[in-house]
Amino acid sequence: MDRPAGDRAVGGVHLRRSEEHVAEVEALAGVLGGRAGLPELLGALKYRARPSPVGRLLGRAVDRAIAFDSYDQRDPVWWPQGITTSADADPSGLVEGRRLAVVTWYAKEKDGVRRGSRVTFLDLDTLRYRHVLLVDARFDDRGELTLSGVRVHAGGIAWAGPWLHVAATGRGFLTFRVDDLLRVPGDDERPDEIGLFGDRVASFGHHHVLPVRYAHQAHADEGHERLRYSFLSLDRSPLPDAPPDLLAGEYGRGRQTTRLARLELDPDTWLPATDEEGLSRPALHDGGVLGMQGAVRARGRHHVSVSHGPWVPGSVFTGSPGALQRHRWALPMGPEDLSFWPSDRPGEDRLWSVTEHPRRRWVVSARRSWFDRRRS
């Protein structure tokens, strides 16, 4: 299968990778007594989601809906945005022997406090889950370690090999290493604070944190418009035996651009491939649609989610960029990012999404073949 037709590299639009935050992450791990890692986190999944018949019925394409617990369903501060799965991380669909979804959330300001962004690891079989705060560890001018929340919209996420790539809109995207998961003991005592306080660490009440490893910073030369990384997904179908690509795109309204972009990944690092100048140059296509919340490429076609607000079910557009066809009411109201689980085994070969509005928050899946049969 060839790479998507119609893409074009734009010389003036690129990403520049930051230096790896090795010393900062090691210092934070030292403060917290070493890495916990994913196995420890999965052994401590605290909260319980549940199947949701209502969520399933509110999307024509949906055959499974999972609701967060009652607190997370109604929480006015944290809003779900991005989704990826263990099928992105490993072609088997399993990580640590589990079928997982990872959901991003961003926090709205409350009482003058901005908590930033987090990810949630959800076991799709047991329906247990746990939140992890995304953090930025830095050394200040005196060489002392500091800790802050990562303040990005986190509209999309892709689990690529050892990395979680998280969309940061106009800033580009941030990259986290899953093995850097750290445990914060006793943080319930400081639910409204973040930082290092002597030998104590506060992380807005989260018992696990994940520090930034890289920033992939979006840039554009004069005369070009910087790409907005509103969402991300992993595309495992570019070429046989080739590493996956990253698919990114822009949420746009009015006269804003709605471009889709493809970034090749380096097969050795699973980070964006770079040229001789150290830059990653996306191939762009102008054929997106207004209000895109997420996009994946599945079985040779693009699938794009669009929200119509908190009261009307969302749409999915399918086809080729520039010629996308709409499927009305395919997903419940407020759909965000998309992820594709590419398997020919029964019960898989499906799209996953997450919806954002309070009391209408679901992780949902839909059979990809549903979009082959129906046009509306």
Side-chain angles (χ1 to χ4, degrees):
M1 180 180 294
D2 294 332
R3 293 186 185 274
D7 290 351
R8 55 187 177 86
V10 177
V13 176
H14 55 268
L15 288 163
R16 183 179 294 277
R17 186 184 308 155
S18 71
E19 294 294 324
E20 187 175 4
H21 298 171
V22 176
E24 296 89 338
V25 173
E26 292 299 327
L28 182 60
V31 170
L32 292 173
R35 289 168 173 77
L38 186 59
E40 191 276 344
L41 175 74
L42 295 178
L45 299 179
K46 180 179 181 180
Y47 305 107
R48 184 181 292 278
R50 65 185 189 280
S52 175
V54 173
R56 180 172 55 82
L57 292 171
L58 286 171
R60 293 170 59 200
V62 173
D63 64 355
R64 186 183 184 191
I66 301 166
F68 297 102
D69 75 7
S70 59
Y71 182 89
D72 288 326
Q73 278 282 17
R74 67 178 186 271
D75 188 356
V77 176
W78 288 99
W79 289 61
Q81 295 294 299
I83 188 166
T84 187
T85 73
S86 50
D88 284 341
D90 192 289
S92 72
L94 299 175
V95 172
E96 299 294 333
R98 304 200 192 203
R99 299 167 66 249
L100 303 170
V102 183
V103 174
T104 63
W105 309 60
Y106 80 96
K108 295 190 175 184
E109 183 174 331
K110 182 181 179 183
D111 300 328
V113 179
R114 298 177 61 190
R115 289 166 172 78
S117 308
R118 70 185 184 191
V119 295
T120 297
F121 286 82
L122 167 67
D123 187 313
L124 292 171
D125 296 312
T126 67
L127 299 189
R128 291 282 187 175
Y129 67 95
R130 188 113 203 189
H131 303 306
V132 175
L133 189 71
L134 300 179
V135 296
D136 196 1
R138 296 290 181 97
F139 293 114
D140 64 17
D141 293 340
R142 297 174 295 178
E144 295 182 358
L145 185 66
T146 66
L147 188 69
S148 61
V150 172
R151 296 178 182 176
V152 297
H153 193 71
I157 181 172
W159 192 348
W163 310 106
L164 292 176
H165 301 301
V166 177
T169 322
R171 291 169 55 184
F173 63 90
L174 304 177
T175 296
F176 304 79
R177 195 177 73 174
V178 176
D179 286 346
D180 288 335
L181 281 162
L182 302 170
R183 177 74 165 87
V184 181
D187 192 42
D188 282 341
E189 300 174 13
R190 297 176 182 269
D192 297 319
E193 295 183 14
I194 190 169
L196 304 174
F197 303 88
D199 59 353
R200 299 292 303 277
V201 179
S203 51
F204 292 132
H206 292 75
H207 286 275
H208 292 81
V209 297
L210 187 61
V212 175
R213 274 277 174 172
Y214 293 103
H216 291 87
Q217 300 154 340
H219 295 280
D221 297 337
E222 185 176 355
H224 297 269
E225 183 172 352
R226 184 173 56 179
L227 184 71
R228 303 186 308 281
Y229 288 78
S230 301
F231 49 83
L232 289 173
S233 68
L234 197 70
D235 179 7
R236 284 191 173 275
S237 62
L239 291 170
D241 301 320
D245 288 344
L246 280 180
L247 178 64
E250 298 178 312
Y251 172 89
R253 290 293 191 188
R255 301 184 65 178
Q256 288 182 305
T257 54
T258 55
R259 294 171 290 180
L260 292 165
R262 176 177 51 80
L263 278 164
E264 294 185 35
L265 293 179
D266 186 311
D268 295 323
T269 66
W270 287 75
L271 296 169
T274 57
D275 62 16
E276 63 279 0
E277 299 179 69
L279 303 178
S280 301
R281 301 186 185 276
L284 299 183
H285 200 298
D286 295 326
V289 296
L290 292 175
M292 293 189 297
Q293 302 282 359
V296 292
R297 188 166 177 257
R299 306 300 186 201
R301 291 197 301 158
H302 284 75
H303 298 65
V304 175
S305 57
V306 173
S307 173
H308 306 300
W311 307 110
V312 178
S315 298
V316 172
F317 289 74
T318 64
S320 299
L324 295 166
Q325 296 181 312
R326 183 180 179 183
H327 302 259
R328 297 177 185 272
W329 309 318
L331 300 175
M333 53 283 291
E336 291 292 316
D337 196 23
L338 290 174
S339 184
F340 177 49
W341 195 301
S343 175
D344 294 324
R345 290 183 291 178
E348 298 180 356
D349 187 27
R350 62 185 54 246
L351 305 181
W352 286 89
S353 187
V354 62
T355 62
E356 69 169 341
H357 297 290
R359 295 181 173 83
R360 292 176 293 283
R361 288 176 177 156
W362 302 289
V363 172
V364 298
S365 71
R367 290 185 300 274
R368 180 205 52 80
S369 59
W370 188 92
F371 299 98
D372 293 340
R373 297 193 305 267
R374 293 169 171 84
R375 301 284 190 272
S376 59

